[in-house]
Amino acid sequence: EAALLPYLATVYRLAASGNDPVQEFTATHPEFVLLDNGRIAVSVYAPRGGPAALCSLFDLEDGREVLGDQRALWALRYEPPGEVPGGPLREIDSATLSLASTVTVDRSRPGVRLEWTHSGTEEHPFRFRVHSDLALEGPRLSLGFAVENRSPEVAVREARFPVIRLRRLESGT
């Protein structure tokens, strides 16, 4: 919670400034990407040197957040190298701190490509690249997903995507 305080201070300052709050917020905090299409808005947090995360999917017409508590956008289960086939699987997800990530914004769609790279660690001796394309299409968020296994000795057994928790919405929506 303490990590949010600098962002809240910016929000309070922007509320009183009279300037475009989205432009000022992203200029002050470039680790955030905010996109909207007039119907929905999406926010991505992309800290330098850490994993990118989907933070918010906001319904602009109804004025409400759609996402619930969000941790990871995807998860991979794999057989580590040197283990007996059929043995216990290890899991790594998009919130793993050893991931490096990049975010590429396409304001013409509007959309964003999130890319995570893992170079292998002792805990996860698995090199891979994952990318996910997110596009705002009317009232919907369109999602794509691809995995590139760069460790031929590792067998990916399961990919879960999207791992998204939605809030319970009223009015049957």
Side-chain angles (χ1 to χ4, degrees), residues 35-51:
L35 291 172
D36 78 89
N37 67 0
R39 177 65 176 90
I40 59 173
V42 67
S43 173
V44 174
Y45 177 63
R48 186 172 301 187

Side-chain angles (χ1 to χ4, degrees), residues 69-146:
D69 291 336
Q70 191 67 28
R71 178 177 153 17
L73 187 57
W74 54 262
L76 302 175
R77 293 177 49 108
Y78 66 95
E79 284 183 6
E83 300 275 328
V84 177
L89 299 177
R90 290 193 193 170
E91 182 170 301
I92 188 167
D93 65 33
S94 64
T96 301
L97 295 177
S98 57
L99 293 170
S101 62
T102 59
V103 176
T104 306
V105 177
D106 179 354
R107 295 200 183 277
S108 68
R109 288 176 66 191
V112 64
R113 172 171 275 201
L114 305 174
E115 184 171 293
W116 297 265
T117 305
H118 192 262
S119 299
T121 61
E122 188 173 324
E123 181 182 3
H124 295 290
F126 174 26
R127 295 179 326 278
F128 63 87
R129 182 178 72 89
V130 169
H131 76 260
S132 179
D133 293 315
L134 287 68
L136 305 178
E137 298 176 353
R140 292 184 168 77
L141 175 64
S142 171
L143 301 162
F145 177 75

